[in-house]
């Protein structure tokens, strides 16, 4: 599979933004656990589609750190400046 940084006539790079509004039972699942589930499903979907995932950010909009440095990159495991 070609690296996302390498140009190819048959490959495209997309930035996909998803906004979810969810209600869940905190007695069953903590918010961070829910975010982990969402990130894992998105990662699995990209792999199943044959795509190379280079950045995956999942966070809560109410998190005050979002504007400072964004949610953690779930692929590399570090915040994105």
């Amino acid at each position: 599979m070609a690296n996302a940084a390498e140009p190819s006539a048959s490959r495209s790079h997309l930035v996909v933004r998803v906004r979810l509004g969810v209600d869940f039972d905190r007695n069953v699942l903590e918010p961070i656990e829910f975010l982990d589930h969402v990130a894992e499903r998105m990662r699995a979907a990209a792999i199943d589609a044959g795509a190379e995932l280079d950045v995956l950010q999942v966070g809560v909009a109410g998190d005050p750190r979002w504007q400072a440095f964004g949610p953690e990159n779930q692929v590399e495991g570090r915040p994105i400046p």
Side-chain angles (χ1 to χ4, degrees):
M1 182 177 285
N3 184 314
E6 296 174 5
S8 171
S10 66
R11 296 190 61 83
S12 294
H13 186 82
L14 295 176
V15 175
V16 178
R17 294 182 181 183
V18 177
R19 185 173 175 174
L20 301 173
V22 297
D23 292 317
F24 61 96
D25 185 348
R26 283 187 165 209
N27 293 323
V28 177
L29 191 66
E30 289 293 322
I32 193 71
E33 292 174 303
F34 176 77
L35 294 178
D36 286 345
H37 284 291
V38 169
E40 184 51 41
R41 298 312 189 283
M42 292 175 74
R43 186 178 7 258
I47 291 169
D48 289 348
E52 182 177 329
L53 192 64
D54 62 348
V55 174
L56 174 58
Q57 294 175 285
V58 179
V60 177
D63 185 343
R65 299 173 301 158
W66 185 280
Q67 295 301 322
F69 57 82
E72 186 173 276
N73 176 346
Q74 298 291 327
V75 173
E76 297 178 359
R78 61 176 178 75
I80 296 177

